[in-house]
Amino acid sequence: MPYLDRDGDVFVLYLGNEGQTDSENRFHPDWIDAIHAKLDEVEAAEGPAALVTVATGKFFSNGLDTDWLFGNMDRMHWYLDRVHTVFSRLLAFEMPTVAALNGHAFGAGAMLATSHDFRVMRSDRGYWCLPEVHLGMPFTVAMNALVTERLTNQVALEAMTTGRRYSAADAIAAGIVDEAAEADGVLAAAVARAAALTGNRKPNLPVIKRALHGRALAGLNTPTTPENLAFGS
């Protein structure tokens, strides 16, 4: 389960269990609940602050928990709407946010990274990728809104229709991430970027973010229904 650490005024949210390096950090419903609980803790702190999210091992996040999803298809729409709440919450979070991509960010994991203000990606290994086209899975209205509003149209088209795996260098060139760092320096680079922004935690920051991301947030708040989602179509 996710856990919190702190480096000065920067909260560091680890996406997996402490000491566990083989977790794929998939969006299980319990994991989603735990993420929201940790974000509640961060928001409850007073004063200057910023948030960094990171994981350990091979994955930042490998996306949807497909084992749970395909075992609970009667709850599919509820589940996907819960996934979307993580993206919308981070997109308008009340303090600066930085994703430290220590490893692969696939599918919903790539969208999780894209929901942050900034991204630092490991330079020597790991990919940012939207593999849905290869899996026969469409994007929900909410996911489509997030990706197409956060990326340029041509980059979104390439990422969504080809399933390209972007290395750090490719992702920087495409505007998907902002910075690359060596393996041992990803978290430190993300924390340094976040620390420089902690003073921007003011009441007007989420107001600015909500206006800036208005169309993406409107899409993320669109309920998933049979009409806008059909797996395998």
Side-chain angles (χ1 to χ4, degrees):
M1 282 290 120
Y3 66 98
L4 276 175
D5 197 358
R6 188 164 182 172
D7 188 332
D9 290 331
V10 177
F11 289 89
V12 180
L13 173 58
Y14 285 86
L15 300 179
N17 294 327
E18 188 168 5
Q20 184 179 7
T21 60
D22 60 347
S23 174
E24 295 185 5
N25 305 315
R26 289 182 179 266
F27 282 62
H28 187 279
D30 293 341
W31 183 90
I32 294 172
D33 289 343
I35 288 289
H36 279 299
K38 294 305 178 186
L39 294 178
D40 287 343
E41 289 184 40
V42 173
E43 287 186 322
E46 298 181 356
L51 173 72
V52 167
T53 59
V54 70
T56 57
K58 183 178 179 179
F59 289 92
F60 175 76
S61 171
N62 206 15
L64 300 183
D65 189 329
T66 51
D67 288 342
W68 187 94
L69 176 58
F70 292 125
N72 296 272
M73 290 298 286
D74 59 321
R75 304 181 69 191
M76 176 176 64
H77 300 123
W78 169 86
Y79 170 71
L80 292 171
D81 286 343
R82 286 295 292 158
V83 170
H84 301 155
T85 64
V86 179
F87 305 151
S88 59
R89 185 167 188 185
L90 284 169
L91 207 59
F93 205 58
E94 67 174 49
M95 63 187 67
T97 61
V98 182
L101 276 64
N102 56 286
H104 299 310
F106 279 70
M111 297 175 211
L112 175 65
T114 304
S115 300
H116 291 70
D117 297 336
F118 303 100
R119 284 147 298 284
V120 178
M121 187 172 178
R122 180 171 172 169
S123 59
D124 63 325
R125 62 180 291 187
Y127 296 102
W128 184 100
C129 176
L130 299 175
E132 282 77 1
V133 68
H134 300 309
L135 301 175
M137 297 171 66
F139 293 87
T140 64
V141 168
M143 292 173 177
N144 183 79
L146 174 66
V147 174
T148 58
E149 289 296 323
R150 292 293 280 144
L151 305 180
T152 66
N153 184 268
Q154 190 62 23
V155 171
L157 183 146
E158 180 181 58
M160 297 171 77
T161 67
T162 73
R164 176 179 175 180
R165 297 186 176 195
Y166 292 83
S167 66
D170 294 336
I172 288 175
I176 296 170
V177 304
D178 304 281
E179 183 181 346
E182 295 296 326
D184 295 338
V186 173
L187 178 58
V191 169
R193 181 180 281 263
L197 300 172
T198 56
N200 290 351
R201 188 198 186 183
K202 295 181 172 67
N204 65 328
L205 183 62
V207 177
I208 293 171
K209 288 186 181 184
R210 285 194 295 269
L212 182 65
H213 302 308
R215 287 182 292 188
L217 289 167
L220 285 167
N221 289 326
T222 302
T224 306
T225 66
E227 291 73 30
N228 63 31
L229 175 69
F231 277 89
S233 61

